[in-house]
Amino acid sequence: MSLLARRAIAELAGTAFLVIAVVGSGIMASRLSPNDTGLALLENSLATGAALVALIVALQPVSASFNPVVTLVEKMLGLVDWRTAGALILAQFVGGLAGTVVANAMFGLDAVALSSHARTGSGLWLGEIVATVGLLLVVFGTVRSGRADRVAFAVGGYIAAAYWFTSSTSFANPAVTLARTVTNTFAGIAPASAPAFMLAQLIGGALGFILIRLLYPAGITASTPEKEVIS
């Protein structure tokens, strides 16, 4: 099997399990704490952060981006070519949707159910920009510092925290955003709300890329494709 095929499979599986963690823990949290939204969010954020750490550690030797914005920034930094970026991004979107279907099915819900949870407004869009810029700084800053083996813990901790300090609860990922439109549960987002979230994430990606180039003018490199660590 080619390296690109292996990387695409890793991205598909990793994004699927990430979304299963997000959606599944959201469903479980809403059932265990139906009258306490704050506690449900805490449960959801801790499960998501822990799952991210585990998934990145496990899949990092092959590919562990799980996020189209991160992959696009990798391309802009010259870490991957367009063919690789396209394959990985497609795998991330497919994996995300598959993860939602599995999470819904595990909890006895319709495999696909469009969310009615409207998330809109300038404050939430700004929250997505902030969340995405911060994620990119954490990822690429950790790699640039020579501590790529700590990316998993940095990203998991950041996302768990960003659930709380951003108004949008930090989606920061177009593939995950799209996937969350097909679950009418605690973690869902209405399809009509998703495009603005995804646009905000892309804006955050562009701003994050500019900031990374300013902070790290010497560039960020990966010694070999197998060692490329971005999530």
Side-chain angles (χ1 to χ4, degrees), residues 7 18 21 60 84 92 99 106 163 172 200:
R7 295 191 67 184
L18 171 58
Q60 181 173 308
T84 299
Q92 291 156 1
M106 281 199 305
Y163 262 70

Side-chain angles (χ1 to χ4, degrees), residues 12-213:
L12 189 152
T15 310
F17 273 99
L18 171 58
V19 172
I20 290 171
V22 172
V23 174
S25 65
I27 296 170
M28 181 67 81
S30 64
R31 292 181 179 181
L32 293 176
S33 309
N35 301 314
D36 192 334
T37 303
L39 180 57
L41 184 63
L42 177 62
E43 295 159 349
N44 193 200
S45 63
L46 290 177
T48 301
L52 262 174
V53 172
L55 290 168
I56 296 170
V57 168
L59 295 174
Q60 181 173 308
V62 184
S63 188
S65 296
F66 317 147
N67 189 329
V69 171
V70 175
T71 300
L72 285 173
V73 172
E74 287 186 273
K75 171 62 187 74
M76 295 167 72
L77 291 172
L79 298 177
V80 297
D81 57 26
W82 276 118
R83 177 171 174 267
T84 299
L88 299 186
I89 289 170
L90 176 61
Q92 291 156 1
F93 275 105
V94 172
L97 290 169
T100 300
V101 170
V102 171
N104 285 338
M106 281 199 305
F107 287 91
L109 305 174
D110 291 339
V112 175
L114 297 182
S115 176
S116 60
H117 190 170
R119 301 176 190 257
T120 186
S122 58
L124 297 186
W125 302 331
L126 178 59
E128 278 303 287
I129 294 173
V130 170
T132 307
V133 171
L135 175 62
L136 293 174
L137 283 177
V138 167
V139 170
F140 292 99
T142 305
V143 172
R144 183 64 179 84
S145 71
R147 293 174 292 182
D149 59 324
R150 302 182 186 181
V151 168
F153 304 98
V155 171
Y158 174 80
I159 291 298
Y163 262 70
W164 291 89
F165 71 72
T166 63
S167 57
S168 62
T169 66
S170 184
F171 284 48
N173 186 326
V176 171
T177 301
L178 181 64
R180 290 168 70 165
T181 65
V182 293
T183 181
N184 194 22
T185 61
F186 181 81
I189 178 173
S193 301
F197 262 56
M198 295 167 77
L199 176 60
Q201 291 155 8
L202 291 174
I203 293 172
L207 294 175
F209 169 74
I210 293 170
L211 190 53
I212 290 163
R213 294 297 293 173

